[in-house]
């Protein structure tokens, strides 16, 4: 069994319709350690040693967050700036994260077609998230395609949120059980609610 660290950031959890419930889903998965950055560090006073220790103890690192200005809420940048130190995360002797797996689990207000060269945002999601991918690679981690929910503003009206929560549950369980086809999951534009093609088939008929 692998161990997954789900690092969550939402500056207004009381107003979150999507990420709050998704984080509840993550908390219930065996093998997942949930970390709520804004709850733990309301003053941005990040405990670097503790965060580095958490990273060392886990195999899979998930950043769960709403997409804010094509990136993550501010505390996640602060966390990266302080925790991913030279000599720990990168550099000649900075090999603590080598071989681990990293992914973003994001929710976006815009619809999928907005995330293309021809669309409203003039870029696809993976291009916009390149700083995360480059960071993962510099630290020797394997970067998987982001797990994404688009059109977040409407997701709680129908059953989209429930479908997405189930998919998140499946994804986290597959990561912990080492059942994700990493090659496929690394190459995809994003991971959505249909995960079948990214799961390693077990022998069951
Ligand atoms: C400050 C701010 C920046 C945002 N930037 C983006 C963005 O760059 N792209 C996008 O698709 N949605 C953007 N949104 C919409 C959020 O991603 C959306 O409200 C969120 O994913 C919904 O999740 P929640 O209910 O957990 O807050 C932004 C919202 C806020 C408040």
């Amino acid at each position: 069994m692998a161990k997954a660290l789900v690092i969550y950031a939402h500056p207004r959890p009381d107003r979150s319709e999507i990420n709050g419930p998704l984080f509840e889903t993550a908390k219930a998965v065996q093998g997942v350690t949930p970390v709520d950055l804004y709850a733990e560090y309301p003053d941005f006073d990040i405990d670097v040693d503790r965060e580095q220790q958490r990273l060392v103890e886990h195999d899979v690192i998930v950043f769960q967050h709403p997409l804010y200005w094509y990136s993550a809420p501010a505390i996640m940048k602060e966390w990266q700036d302080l925790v991913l130190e030279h000599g720990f995360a990168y550099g000649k002797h900075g090999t603590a994260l080598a071989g681990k797996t990293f992914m973003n689990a994001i929710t976006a207000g815009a619809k999928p077609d907005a995330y293309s060269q021809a669309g409203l945002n003039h870029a696809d999601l993976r291009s916009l998230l390149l700083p995360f991918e480059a960071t993962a690679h510099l630290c020797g981690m394997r970067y998987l395609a982001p797990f994404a929910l688009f059109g977040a503003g409407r997701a709680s009206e129908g059953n989209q949120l429930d479908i997405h929560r189930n998919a998140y549950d499946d994804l986290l369980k597959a990561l912990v059980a080492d059942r994700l086809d990493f090659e496929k999951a690394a190459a995809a534009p994003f991971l959505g609610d249909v995960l079948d093609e990214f799961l390693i088939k077990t022998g069951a008929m």
Side-chain angles (χ1 to χ4, degrees):
M1 291 273 283
K3 290 174 76 183
L5 187 64
V6 174
I7 302 177
Y8 168 56
H10 199 301
R12 301 297 304 269
D14 51 321
R15 291 202 185 171
S16 170
E17 290 182 22
I18 311 297
N19 280 276
L22 285 172
F23 191 52
E24 290 306 312
T25 297
K27 282 182 190 170
V29 176
Q30 206 182 355
V32 166
T33 305
V35 174
D36 182 342
L37 288 183
Y38 280 102
E40 291 200 25
Y41 304 113
D43 301 319
F44 277 48
D45 191 10
I46 291 170
D47 183 338
V48 172
D49 289 343
R50 180 183 183 208
E51 295 304 316
Q52 289 182 347
Q53 189 56 36
R54 280 172 163 160
L55 288 173
V56 168
E57 287 167 0
H58 292 80
D59 313 291
V60 179
I61 318 299
V62 179
F63 270 14
Q64 191 209 311
H65 58 95
L67 199 63
Y68 273 9
W69 294 114
Y70 310 110
S71 187
I75 201 168
M76 249 168 192
K77 183 64 164 60
E78 182 79 349
W79 184 98
Q80 290 172 76
D81 293 350
L82 297 178
V83 177
L84 302 179
E85 285 180 319
H86 181 264
F88 171 77
Y90 70 101
K92 197 173 165 201
H93 303 292
T95 55
L97 306 181
K100 297 184 190 290
T101 299
F102 178 87
M103 77 184 303
N104 298 86
I106 65 112
T107 64
K111 298 216 171 104
D113 57 7
Y115 286 96
S116 68
Q117 279 293 338
L120 182 71
N121 295 316
H122 297 294
D124 60 63
L125 186 62
R126 284 208 56 163
S127 302
L128 293 164
L129 294 175
L130 262 178
F132 294 99
E133 182 165 353
T135 301
H137 283 150
L138 185 71
C139 298
M141 293 192 281
R142 173 168 49 191
Y143 184 81
L144 303 183
F147 176 64
L149 172 76
F150 297 96
R154 300 215 146 173
S156 55
E157 284 170 18
N159 61 352
Q160 189 55 41
L161 176 55
D162 291 335
I163 292 169
H164 199 66
R165 284 186 77 167
N166 284 336
Y168 196 33
D169 184 65
D170 288 347
L171 173 67
L172 292 171
K173 283 177 177 162
L175 284 165
V176 167
D178 214 2
R179 281 193 53 228
L180 204 68
D181 183 330
F182 285 113
E183 234 170 86
K184 274 193 188 166
F190 60 87
L191 305 183
D193 294 337
V194 181
L195 289 171
D196 280 5
E197 65 174 298
F198 301 107
L199 300 181
I200 295 165
K201 306 283 175 289
T202 51
M205 298 290 286

